[in-house]
Amino acid sequence: MDARRLMHDKPGSGPWWDQRYRDGRDGWELGEPAPPLRRFLEVDPRAPQPPGRVLVPGCGRGHEVAMLASRGFTAIGLDISAEALREARRCHGDDSDRLQWLQADLLDPAAYLAGGLGPGSCSGVLEHTCFCAIDPASRPAYLSAVTQLLEPGGWLLGLFWCHDRPDGPPYGSEPDQLAADLAAAGLEPVLWQPAEGSAQGRDGRVRCDEWLGLWRRRP
């Protein structure tokens, strides 16, 4: 088997995710921003406020990116999949002053640096379905990238899948361990609790195992 085919078949590679989008194997897709994230941003007094530059890693079809842009943030949707970003542009439009798309791997610093994302370049990161999609062995690299990209005092708002099923993606997390890992990466908790109002995905699962968290990077 040639190297190109091996890369195509490698779980987590760009071509692997491209094929999932083409085949309709995207049961996580809601067709809208995740309700717990949207509600938190709309009504919670602790919610981050615009302006600011916010990154959404693993943005998929970009529903959270468009939501942030509509609230006055400069929102950047990053995804390793060209097919995902093609869908995001179809759903929400091409690059503009408030809405931007970038194909890159969050776990590859050279890739996102080449795309204009440097240390401290983001006031916030919004996490939804990226952390659970990567191999758990790569999570330290994810946390390192997020912490590096955030400005001092910058925020991470995330909706995390905390299930104990052994398979994935979506890979699960244990809430206490995840909180400890975030703290060890240099992030201070503001909020960490079971999410309310989670939606049912196209895969038929009610997302009752989601946790909502807000952290700030230590100055």
Side-chain angles (χ1 to χ4, degrees), residues 151-198:
E151 64 187 15
W155 51 270
L156 168 66
L157 174 63
L159 189 63
F160 294 86
W161 282 53
C162 292
H163 65 76
D164 58 4
R165 299 186 296 276
D167 59 334
Y171 299 101
S173 301
E174 196 282 317
D176 289 343
Q177 183 60 56
L178 179 52
D181 291 343
L182 288 159
L187 300 168
E188 295 181 345
V190 178
L191 169 73
W192 183 229
Q193 64 186 34
E196 298 179 357
S198 294

Side-chain angles (χ1 to χ4, degrees), residues 196-216:
E196 298 179 357
S198 294
Q200 177 175 308
R202 276 173 37 192
D203 58 4
R205 295 177 180 175
V206 176
R207 298 178 179 180
C208 56
D209 44 11
E210 291 181 323
W211 280 60
L212 179 69
L214 176 67
W215 292 265
R216 293 273 182 182

Side-chain angles (χ1 to χ4, degrees), residues 59-204:
C59 68
R61 289 183 173 83
H63 305 306
E64 281 82 20
V65 188
M67 173 184 66
L68 289 166
S70 72
R71 295 187 62 81
F73 293 100
T74 298
I76 304 169
L78 178 148
D79 208 288
I80 195 173
S81 167
E83 189 70 15
L85 293 180
R86 185 189 70 79
E87 286 285 294
R89 288 186 172 96
R90 180 183 64 80
C91 292
H92 306 292
D94 291 322
D95 289 32
S96 64
D97 290 342
R98 292 287 187 195
L99 188 68
Q100 299 166 20
W101 309 107
L102 175 63
Q103 185 181 358
D105 184 352
L106 184 69
L107 305 182
D108 180 359
Y112 61 73
L113 284 169
L117 294 173
S121 63
C122 296
S123 59
V125 172
L126 188 146
E127 159 59 40
H128 180 223
T129 72
C130 182
F131 189 82
C132 68
I134 61 176
D135 188 319
S138 297
R139 288 176 173 177
Y142 171 100
L143 294 175
S144 176
V146 166
T147 305
Q148 180 186 47
L149 288 168
L150 285 175
E151 64 187 15
W155 51 270
L156 168 66
L157 174 63
L159 189 63
F160 294 86
W161 282 53
C162 292
H163 65 76
D164 58 4
R165 299 186 296 276
D167 59 334
Y171 299 101
S173 301
E174 196 282 317
D176 289 343
Q177 183 60 56
L178 179 52
D181 291 343
L182 288 159
L187 300 168
E188 295 181 345
V190 178
L191 169 73
W192 183 229
Q193 64 186 34
E196 298 179 357
S198 294
Q200 177 175 308
R202 276 173 37 192
D203 58 4

Side-chain angles (χ1 to χ4, degrees), residues 17-24 26 28 60-61 81 83-84:
W17 285 109
D18 287 342
Q19 196 60 48
R20 291 199 68 158
Y21 278 96
R22 294 190 191 103
D23 293 345
D26 53 351
W28 63 88
R61 289 183 173 83
S81 167
E83 189 70 15

